[in-house]
Amino acid sequence: MTVSLGMPAPPAPARRASRRVMVGDVAVGGGAPVSVQSMTTTVTADVNATLQQIAELTAAGCEIVRVACPSQDDADALPQIARKSQIPVIADIHFQPKYVFAAIDAGCAAVRVNPGNIKKFDDKVREIARAAAAAGTPIRIGVNAGSLDPRLLAKHGRATPEALVESALWECSLFEEHGFTDLKISVKHNDPVIMVNAYRLLAQRCDYPLHLGVTEAGPLVQGSVKSAVAFAQLLADGIGDTIRVSLSAPPVEEIKVGIQILASLGLRERSLEIVSCPSCGRAQVDVHRLTEEVLAAFDGFPHPLRVAVMGCVVNGPGEAREADLGVSAGNGKGQIFVRGEVVRTVPESRIVETLIEEASRLAEARDTEGKPA
């Protein structure tokens, strides 16, 4: 019998049926796992800095990365970046249609276009469709509230869900006229309520894969909360095929938050999960410090694991027993739990190392018992 680590994940929600688009070697839509994206913050023309940041994102679990291309120097850097990146690279194009062709020629895995702010975009769709089809390059129609097509803004008065969806589907129809349907869509807004309503409406009106995002969500805490609230509603309804958590924070933080959201919804295998009490007057240990020490010690642990860190006798023993590993600490010592059983009591100074030791034993048992006879 195999020893499993990590608490059971909640059942994954049924997914909305959608077409499948291949972004490099990553499938988006069509029942493929929900992928996590981010965007580099470097100047794309600085190839070394951009590739270094892509490597950091890749190590954090990023599966698709987007790079900005506002200038010719950035466009000139795309071939080298696309070739050397370990994950698919999407070129993000605004204002100038010529950079769409440059990105396709550079071998980017996909191109994001924002029709609302590309000059004479409608007149270039035929050429873009032909070039993208010839290269096998998918295109994301990325509609943003802040850069909505002026015609639709005048019609609806503001960036309503209906305006965002109408813009996206209109641009898709222009590609469809030329037989190009290798598309995915986003209709982002900084208000999670408007964003959720827009995606729900869009999901009813097409079967293209959808890229979820609360645009300009804000700093780390605020942006994480807004994104989690919006994504949870949509993903629980099966809507969404790839996500980006847009934060005013280092891009790696976007990946961490995105993965946590997916894991919490049962759409990604859980890795390390710390269950820790918020602390109160009953605590006989510095729970905040101990939790940070445990988190740092388990950073990079290769197996899914739930670790409970508790600081008093009220909830401590019970919560610790519900986890793979746990400690109920106080009075200068800690009771160590493994699978609900107290295995030893150690001084407070040895709590973290003891948890690591027991975690390694669990992992070894899993590996040993999981081998075929």
Side-chain angles (χ1 to χ4, degrees):
M1 179 178 177
T2 302
V3 176
S4 62
L5 297 183
M7 298 298 287
R15 303 281 300 284
R16 159 185 171 266
S18 68
R19 308 184 193 192
R20 175 168 291 192
V21 168
M22 294 303 300
V23 180
D25 59 359
V26 177
V28 177
V34 179
S35 53
V36 181
Q37 304 190 24
S38 185
M39 188 171 182
T40 56
T41 58
T42 56
V43 175
T44 303
D46 187 340
V47 173
N48 289 336
T50 301
L51 286 172
Q52 175 61 36
Q53 193 168 79
I54 291 175
E56 293 168 359
L57 287 165
T58 303
C62 184
E63 292 154 311
I64 299 172
V65 66
R66 190 153 40 107
V67 299
C69 187
S71 74
Q72 187 61 52
D73 287 343
D74 298 316
D76 292 341
L78 290 177
Q80 190 174 356
I81 292 169
R83 186 174 65 253
K84 292 187 176 182
S85 173
Q86 294 176 287
I87 56 177
V89 173
I90 297 177
D92 192 74
I93 310 298
H94 298 265
F95 305 116
Q96 293 293 340
K98 67 179 180 179
Y99 297 139
V100 177
F101 301 104
I104 293 171
D105 292 341
C108 289
V111 178
R112 180 274 175 108
V113 296
N114 190 340
N117 63 19
I118 292 185
K119 298 175 183 177
K120 298 183 179 179
F121 180 82
D122 294 356
D123 299 333
K124 293 289 185 180
V125 169
R126 181 178 182 180
E127 296 174 54
I128 292 172
R130 284 183 173 179
T137 307
I139 290 175
R140 170 159 73 94
I141 302 294
V143 177
N144 273 16
S147 53
L148 190 63
D149 188 311
R151 295 167 293 186
L152 290 221
L153 198 56
K155 175 182 176 180
H156 291 272
R158 57 191 179 89
T160 64
E162 293 77 12
L164 295 170
V165 171
E166 184 176 343
S167 177
L169 294 180
W170 165 252
E171 302 302 341
C172 287
S173 73
L174 297 180
F175 281 95
E176 291 165 351
E177 287 178 3
H178 303 290
F180 188 87
T181 58
D182 201 11
L183 301 166
K184 54 192 178 84
I185 310 177
S186 65
V187 282
K188 297 185 179 182
H189 198 287
N190 57 54
D191 185 322
V193 176
I194 295 176
M195 174 268 198
V196 167
N197 290 335
Y199 277 100
R200 283 178 171 159
L201 180 60
L202 182 60
Q204 295 172 358
R205 296 187 55 185
C206 74
D207 66 351
Y208 288 116
L210 303 182
H211 169 110
L212 302 187
V214 178
T215 190
E216 297 138 5
L220 181 59
V221 174
Q222 175 183 296
S224 298
V225 171
K226 289 170 69 173
S227 298
V229 167
F231 292 178
Q233 294 182 69
L234 292 169
L235 291 168
D237 289 341
I239 298 171
D241 302 289
T242 183
I243 65 172
R244 184 207 172 179
V245 180
S246 299
L247 301 176
S248 299
V252 165
E253 298 301 323
E254 298 186 349
I255 301 304
K256 293 177 181 178
V257 175
I259 289 174
Q260 284 293 326
I261 292 172
L262 295 182
S264 297
L265 292 168
L267 293 168
R268 182 68 62 98
E269 182 181 48
R270 292 181 174 180
S271 52
L272 176 65
E273 181 178 2
I274 301 292
V275 178
S276 58
C277 65
S279 192
C280 67
R282 294 189 302 264
Q284 298 172 330
V285 67
D286 186 341
V287 178
H288 299 160
R289 176 189 56 76
L290 180 58
T291 300
E292 289 300 316
E293 291 176 356
V294 171
L295 187 60
F298 278 92
D299 184 38
F301 191 76
H303 303 285
L305 196 69
R306 175 177 277 189
V307 181
V309 181
M310 296 295 164
C312 79
V313 296
V314 175
N315 294 319
E319 293 289 351
R321 288 191 179 97
E322 289 297 318
D324 298 302
L325 296 175
V327 58
S328 181
N331 289 326
K333 58 187 178 181
Q335 284 187 317
I336 306 297
F337 292 79
V338 177
R339 298 294 189 187
E341 300 293 332
V342 177
V343 295
R344 47 181 157 160
T345 299
V346 299
E348 184 178 323
S349 61
R350 293 200 56 228
I351 287 175
V352 175
E353 67 180 89
T354 305
L355 288 173
I356 290 290
E357 291 171 4
E358 296 298 337
S360 299
R361 288 194 181 96
L362 275 176
E364 289 172 8
R366 188 190 74 159
D367 293 341
T368 300
E369 295 186 22
K371 291 179 181 178

